[in-house]
Amino acid sequence: MKLYEFEAFPNPRRVRMFLAEKGIDVDRIQVNVPEGEHREEAYRAINPEMTVPALKLDDGRVVGGCVAISRFVEAKYPDGSLLGDTPEEQGMIAAIQRRIETGLMDASTTYFHHATPGLGEKLETYQNADWGHHNAARAKATVAGLEDTLASQDYVAGDRFTIADITAFVGLEFALFVKIVDLADYPAVAAWHARIGARPSAAA
Amino acid sequence: MKLYEFEAFPNPRRVRMFLAEKGIDVDRIQVNVPEGEHREEAYRAINPEMTVPALKLDDGRVVGGCVAISRFVEAKYPDGSLLGDTPEEQGMIAAIQRRIETGLMDASTTYFHHATPGLGEKLETYQNADWGHHNAARAKATVAGLEDTLASQDYVAGDRFTIADITAFVGLEFALFVKIVDLADYPAVAAWHARIGARPSAAA
């Protein structure tokens, strides 16, 4: 298996963290997105969607996107489940993960791409600043919701670490990077952030 | 199990189609979203996210969102898989489903909510017409991509019906409803649309 990624970006980090938590090692190939390498012929031949992360399977097929890659990895290596064991748990974790993904991860990157110079004018071919600011507000509201959640439970989806923590952690770190939230305002989130940040997978 | 939905909306339809394909019958409760019922105390007590569809499980927990509900249902009732059998298939189908969901389903509803009166000014508290039109263009591009795909295979994710067909079918029907695509421009999509529309689940 080969992971096509750009190390500095948040979404590839979600996949690296997922793989590290599962104890799985894969070859990693850097695709220099800020330089436009994802739009060049060589990468288009690998992933016509021109996105990272993408995982090339041993059978040659390519799975793109964090959640789809996680699905494949979890099904292939079910030990130490991060997506839930029972059907009920799988459903709940998928719902919570998605809510955080949309409300924090995607909202923060949308702010970055639309309301800041983002990756620069060559790559940011369409920007909508008002939409970007709307999403910054959404990201903040999601972190406020996480504060309520984490005041009464240790992990985002309940009493154990799951994919929802990965999405929330990487999304939060990106929101901090683009300065749309301040951890000082969210003590329970800050304590959880310190705990998750101490896991070896956070450095993967 | 109880499905909270609003029958006229596209996302609840995805869940009804999924359940019908699996041969599963659930109680359905209408939440009148255009009248704002989803924001009232009674529904907030059931689903604090104030969204439909949401599935109330027999243990009382609530799973919100089409894909999360489908995950639960597939894990609970694995016969006649719609999310894939092998890990590789599960990963590929999840990736394709997500691409169509973002590029057609969500793009079409974003156009509706942002660039048309949508559900009316009481519910559409933030609109961004330019973002709406940008998404209409994205939806069209996704349908053009489906035309290429369906020219050489019978179903969106390969040679059998999966959740990707449900997302694409309901997304396409919504794009047709808001008149951002015309089936006459896409013969392979039109033929597939007729085939999927003839399945009993399309009327669920």
Side-chain angles (χ1 to χ4, degrees), chain B residues 156-167:
Chain B
V156 170
D159 60 6
R160 71 179 181 94
F161 183 91
T162 68
I163 189 174
D165 294 285
I166 294 175
T167 305

Side-chain angles (χ1 to χ4, degrees), chain B:
Chain B
M1 290 192 297
K2 283 180 185 171
L3 178 64
Y4 292 86
E5 63 157 356
F6 185 66
E7 199 172 283
F9 280 4
N11 281 313
R13 188 182 183 193
R14 292 164 67 189
V15 175
R16 288 201 306 276
M17 234 177 130
F18 192 94
L19 290 166
E21 290 282 345
K22 300 287 275 190
I24 296 161
D25 219 23
V26 299
D27 290 337
R28 297 201 275 130
I29 292 116
Q30 300 304 306
V31 181
N32 195 324
V33 176
E35 296 292 330
E37 196 182 338
H38 59 307
R39 296 185 180 169
E40 288 170 15
E41 204 49 40
Y43 189 60
R44 290 175 79 141
I46 293 159
N47 180 14
E49 299 307 311
M50 301 182 282
T51 51
V52 292
L55 187 69
K56 189 170 187 176
L57 310 184
D58 291 335
D59 69 10
R61 289 190 290 181
V62 171
V63 174
C66 298
V67 172
I69 292 172
S70 300
R71 277 284 152 205
F72 163 75
V73 171
E74 178 99 337
K76 193 86 174 176
Y77 308 97
D79 281 359
S81 122
L82 296 170
L83 303 182
D85 292 316
T86 65
E88 290 74 12
E89 216 188 357
Q90 288 184 48
M92 292 302 297
I93 291 169
I96 294 165
Q97 192 287 137
R98 178 59 168 270
R99 184 159 48 77
I100 303 293
E101 182 179 57
T102 309
L104 178 56
M105 183 78 241
D106 295 350
S108 300
T109 56
T110 296
Y111 167 77
F112 172 72
H113 289 298
H114 285 277
T116 80
L119 297 175
E121 58 186 25
K122 210 175 131 192
L123 290 175
E124 305 292 1
T125 51
Y126 171 79
Q127 290 197 301
N128 184 321
D130 197 62
W131 179 243
H133 289 294
H134 180 75
N135 273 275
R138 183 175 190 179
K140 270 191 189 176
T142 304
V143 176
L146 277 176
E147 178 68 16
D148 291 341
T149 300
L150 293 167
S152 61
Q153 64 190 42
D154 284 348
Y155 297 97
V156 170
D159 60 6
R160 71 179 181 94
F161 183 91
T162 68
I163 189 174
D165 294 285
I166 294 175
T167 305
F169 179 78
V170 177
L172 179 65
E173 294 242 305
F174 194 75
L176 293 168
F177 168 69
V178 293
K179 300 193 191 336
I180 52 183
V181 291
D182 182 339
L183 276 187
D185 299 330
Y186 308 102
V189 170
W192 163 88
H193 175 258
R195 278 203 318 280
I196 305 298
R199 298 172 80 95
S201 66

